[in-house]
Amino acid sequence: MDSGVLAVVSAGVGCPRPARRLADWITEAVCRSLAAGGARAEVEVLELHRLAADLAQHSIQGRVSLDLREAIAAVVAADGLVVATPVRAASPSKVFDSFLAILGDKVLSGMSVPLALNSGSDRQPPDITQVMRRRLTAVHAEPVPTVVDAGPVEWQATALSGAAARLHRPSRRRTRLGDALAPAVTQHLLRIRSRCTVVNSCFEFEATSIAAKVRTGMKAVRFHEYGDPSVLRYEDVEQPVPGAGEVRVRVAATSFNPVDGNIRGGFMQGPIPVTLPHTPGIDVAGTVDALGEGVDGIAVDDDVVGFLPMDGNGAAAQYVLAPADVLIPAPKSVPLADAAALPLVGLTAYQALFDHGKLTAGQRVLINGAGGAVGGYAVQLAKNAGAHVIATAGPRSSEAVTSAGADEVIDHTATDVTAVVTEPVDLALNLAPVAPDELASLVTLVRPGGVVVNTTVWMPAPSDEERDVRGIDLFVRSDADQLAQLVALIDRGELRVDVAERVPLAELPALHARASQGAVHGKVIVVPSAD
């Protein structure tokens, strides 16, 4: 069976649901026409409408983003170009013309089979034909660009007309589309004699309903065996497909947490059994890219944040799957990527203080190790709750702890905490990897009936039964309702998100190496896409 390379690039923006089904039909028609002529096709997804901001940035600043580079590379690798314009597309010619301008005449002249497919609406006539003819004919003496019109008559249904649902039923419009495509596809595309890739953009569509199976790649950091940071690999992997109850998120950022290093090193196989190869990254902030069956209350293009299951693949990748019920709307008042600094550490602080410590207004709390990422949130939350906050921190972080709202800050590098805290506290929260005797001494500072909450779970929390001082070891859990409360505090200006570093995804192995040497301070987010 012969095969070829075909790029299907769509410039449309708008009407996602009818356009989604239209994309199914376009792709199916192309693939069936190829198959009828003895060719084979695989399908890769390239969503050009998501590059509108990247194209605008390039136009103003001349910068080419990573996503835009990858889109260009997909087209450069193709021998043919098909343009599919969705129903009621918003300025498709402008988006597509910008993209063609970046590709340049040299790339376009190397494409042996230009083919334009129009499927516009009579409310907004398809003008992509003129763009194709103007730009492609100028660089192609032979063959002349072929234009196939599958509208506007056949595709008048729009979301605004109330007839969008009709696009979800097989009808004669589908047959007309196939009939319109078949001659051009057969005549032009079957000349190609290399691997056939159909690149269909703009739409989020379900490949299960078409003959070709969607296969798209992404970058991710994974480890195939447990070990030191050298086991981490930055590699190409297949983009995941959401199952029932799942959401695919285009990752804006994940974050580094010390537990990531422990999982990678194989020290957490009991409580957190992962399947190898494993992608780290428990926190995620990003944009919903696709929905699995049965998902409601969340939509494609929603900005979300969440705490991912610890034993599943994480967000150190361009895309990640997440159970829909762990995701909530991202805060509006901070950059989306920075929201990845919140979930695990914010929930750790919240659950330590309120679920286990039962902290209330007027109580005294000692936060040991307040200079870290969890400590920053713990100080703010405790102060917001009306508690008197005593915090320990080193010289490097004491100013930040003070600005977070601590009433007293103790330099633990120069002073014995037990000698300074002379009045009992209601709650002692230990966040620091202290020596066992130091941890045990904290119980002496707690009033009878009080609590010691410990996050360093490799050492049990101390207790004093005689004085009814309980010791609780905290293992943080994902809780969407609590995370939503934290997001609300952020958007009200009552909780600050601090980010110490922003590291590209490709440098995550180096970040793990620095962390293993104790050289990472504060919260670090990891960003998959960078210019």
Side-chain angles (χ1 to χ4, degrees):
M1 181 179 285
D2 293 327
S3 58
V5 178
L6 164 65
V8 182
V9 181
S10 168
V13 184
C15 291
R17 291 193 178 277
R20 172 173 173 168
R21 182 48 57 100
L22 176 58
D24 275 351
W25 294 357
I26 291 170
T27 308
E28 182 178 1
V30 171
C31 293
R32 285 183 174 176
S33 296
L34 286 169
R40 180 174 58 248
E42 293 181 3
V43 178
E44 183 178 352
V45 179
L46 172 65
E47 297 177 282
L48 187 57
H49 79 293
R50 295 189 180 280
L51 298 175
D54 303 75
L55 291 166
Q57 182 185 60
H58 176 269
S59 175
I60 297 171
Q61 302 177 2
R63 301 172 66 186
V64 181
S65 70
L66 178 60
D67 287 343
L68 188 52
R69 290 193 198 104
E70 291 178 350
I72 292 170
V75 176
V76 169
D79 292 321
L81 180 62
V82 176
V83 181
T85 309
V87 177
R88 279 189 55 80
S91 303
S93 61
K94 182 178 180 180
V95 176
F96 186 64
D97 207 13
S98 299
F99 187 61
L100 289 184
I102 295 175
L103 287 176
D105 291 350
K106 184 176 180 180
V107 171
L108 296 176
S109 63
M111 289 182 178
S112 58
V113 189
L115 169 64
L117 168 65
N118 286 302
S119 52
S121 163
D122 58 356
R123 287 181 172 80
Q124 185 162 346
D127 53 359
I128 207 96
T129 303
Q130 288 73 22
V131 176
M132 288 288 293
R133 284 180 172 147
R134 182 180 72 249
R135 190 174 287 277
L136 290 178
T137 304
V139 298
H140 280 85
E142 178 66 29
V144 175
T146 298
V147 177
V148 177
D149 285 312
V153 176
E154 293 87 345
W155 304 101
Q156 292 182 32
T158 71
L160 296 181
S161 70
R166 293 205 299 270
L167 287 175
H168 292 261
R169 300 195 304 266
S171 68
R172 57 197 181 97
R173 288 193 295 270
R174 183 174 186 173
T175 302
R176 288 179 184 176
L177 176 60
D179 291 344
L181 273 173
V185 170
T186 302
Q187 176 184 358
H188 293 283
L189 304 182
L190 296 180
R191 300 177 185 180
I192 314 300
R193 290 297 180 268
S194 58
R195 174 176 167 273
C196 181
T197 302
V198 180
V199 183
N200 188 7
S201 65
C202 180
F203 313 107
E204 302 82 26
F205 63 89
E206 298 174 275
T208 54
S209 64
I210 60 176
K213 187 176 182 181
V214 174
R215 293 289 178 184
T216 52
M218 66 175 185
K219 291 291 187 181
V221 171
R222 305 193 298 175
F223 56 88
H224 296 249
E225 59 184 343
Y226 296 111
D228 63 27
S230 67
V231 301
L232 292 168
R233 304 181 193 173
Y234 181 63
E235 57 191 8
D236 293 304
V237 301
E238 187 173 307
Q239 191 179 115
V241 177
E246 290 184 324
V247 170
R248 186 172 66 205
V249 177
R250 184 181 185 184
V251 179
T254 184
S255 78
F256 174 79
N257 292 289
V259 71
D260 294 331
N262 292 329
I263 294 173
R264 184 213 66 235
F267 308 120
M268 303 294 287
Q269 294 183 55
I272 310 177
V274 301
T275 301
L276 300 179
H278 177 71
T279 304
I282 297 167
D283 297 316
V284 65
T287 303
V288 174
D289 173 74
L291 305 177
E293 182 181 354
V295 174
D296 54 21
I298 193 169
V300 170
D301 291 333
D302 283 354
D303 289 337
V304 293
V305 62
F307 182 129
L308 299 175
M310 290 187 174
D311 57 356
N313 276 324
Q318 290 177 308
Y319 294 86
V320 67
L321 296 182
D325 58 6
V326 307
L327 299 174
I328 64 163
K332 306 292 186 184
S333 56
V334 299
L336 179 58
D338 287 5
L342 173 66
L344 186 145
V345 291
L347 287 173
T348 299
Y350 185 95
Q351 291 168 17
L353 293 172
F354 305 114
D355 285 0
H356 301 294
K358 309 298 182 185
L359 187 68
T360 59
Q363 291 188 325
R364 291 166 54 84
V365 57
L366 169 64
I367 301 175
N368 193 45
V374 177
Y377 288 111
V379 171
Q380 294 181 75
L381 291 171
K383 191 62 181 176
N384 288 346
H388 180 87
V389 181
I390 306 167
T392 72
R396 182 180 57 248
S397 56
S398 61
E399 183 176 344
V401 171
T402 300
S403 68
D407 298 287
E408 303 176 43
V409 179
I410 301 170
D411 181 356
H412 64 82
T413 66
T415 308
D416 183 353
V417 177
T418 58
V420 178
V421 180
T422 57
E423 184 179 343
V425 298
D426 299 277
L427 166 64
L429 171 57
N430 180 60
L431 307 173
V434 296
D437 59 333
E438 292 181 64
L439 179 60
S441 69
L442 295 180
V443 76
T444 66
L445 304 178
V446 180
R447 66 163 177 81
V451 185
V452 176
V453 178
N454 177 44
T455 62
T456 56
V457 293
W458 59 89
M459 292 187 296
S463 61
D464 186 340
E465 293 184 5
E466 291 184 1
R467 298 191 305 118
D468 193 27
V469 176
R470 293 173 296 126
I472 299 175
D473 294 307
L474 169 67
F475 199 86
V476 65
R477 71 181 191 284
S478 181
D479 189 309
D481 290 337
Q482 291 179 353
L483 187 57
Q485 293 180 50
L486 297 178
V487 166
L489 289 173
I490 291 170
D491 283 339
R492 292 202 300 266
E494 297 174 14
L495 189 64
R496 187 178 69 203
V497 176
D498 290 320
V499 176
E501 287 185 72
R502 296 168 179 83
V503 173
L505 177 62
E507 296 179 17
L508 182 58
L511 176 61
H512 272 243
R514 285 198 289 131
S516 68
Q517 299 166 359
V520 173
H521 306 290
K523 194 61 176 174
V524 181
I525 63 171
V526 180
V527 184
S529 300
D531 291 341

